[in-house]
Amino acid sequence: MTEDTIAMDEALRLAGVALSSDDVPVGAVVLNSTGQIVGRGRNERELTGDPTAHAEIVALRDAARAHGSWNLSDHTLVVTLEPCAMCAGAILNARIAKVVFGAWDDKAGAAGSVLDILRTRTLPARVAEVVGGVRADECSALLTEFFDQLRD
């Protein structure tokens, strides 16, 4: 089992916690250069009423506090769903080196499916490595279950 897959365990756990506040089940963690989790986040839009409270943003804020700096250039973000455009912008601003995500987002993904903001060469920063589809079935299943229940 790789470090990315193990980190996805915690991101999936956090996604499950998001369900308890009726938030879309997305979880994220930030790893430092030694692979230690230094930031955790889950969707909190419904819980907090904050439109920017996506899992990635919450995890980046947590990691920046722990690191003592906004510059997370030697860090990895692991998230259960492909980041949206807002989160991709935050990832670039934090100078994250690597992004690992589970489920692809064919409607709003900004890491390769709809857009590829993370690797756009015209922007002043880029993510060095993007890995999609890690444990995609598990990540997708949580989302499918959540949205199926909303439609019932």
Side-chain angles (χ1 to χ4, degrees), residues 14-32:
L14 290 163
V17 173
L19 283 170
S20 66
S21 60
D22 295 326
D23 275 290
V24 177
V26 178
V29 296
V30 177
L31 309 174
N32 66 13

Side-chain angles (χ1 to χ4, degrees), residues 73-133:
S73 60
D74 58 350
H75 290 62
T76 297
L77 174 76
V78 178
V79 60
T80 58
L81 179 64
E82 180 183 3
C84 69
M86 175 184 70
C87 293
I91 290 164
L92 293 179
N93 279 301
R95 304 300 193 260
I96 291 288
K98 180 179 177 182
V99 172
V100 176
F101 65 89
W104 293 90
D105 186 347
D106 295 332
K107 294 179 183 167
S113 63
V114 178
L115 301 169
D116 196 355
I117 293 172
L118 297 180
R119 293 175 282 205
T120 299
R121 295 198 175 278
T122 57
L123 296 174
R126 278 187 292 293
V127 173
E129 185 178 1
V130 177
V131 180

Side-chain angles (χ1 to χ4, degrees), residues 139-152:
C139 296
S140 294
L142 265 177
L143 292 160
T144 299
E145 180 182 337
F146 175 77
F147 287 110
D148 284 350
Q149 288 177 3
L150 278 182
R151 292 181 190 105
D152 288 343

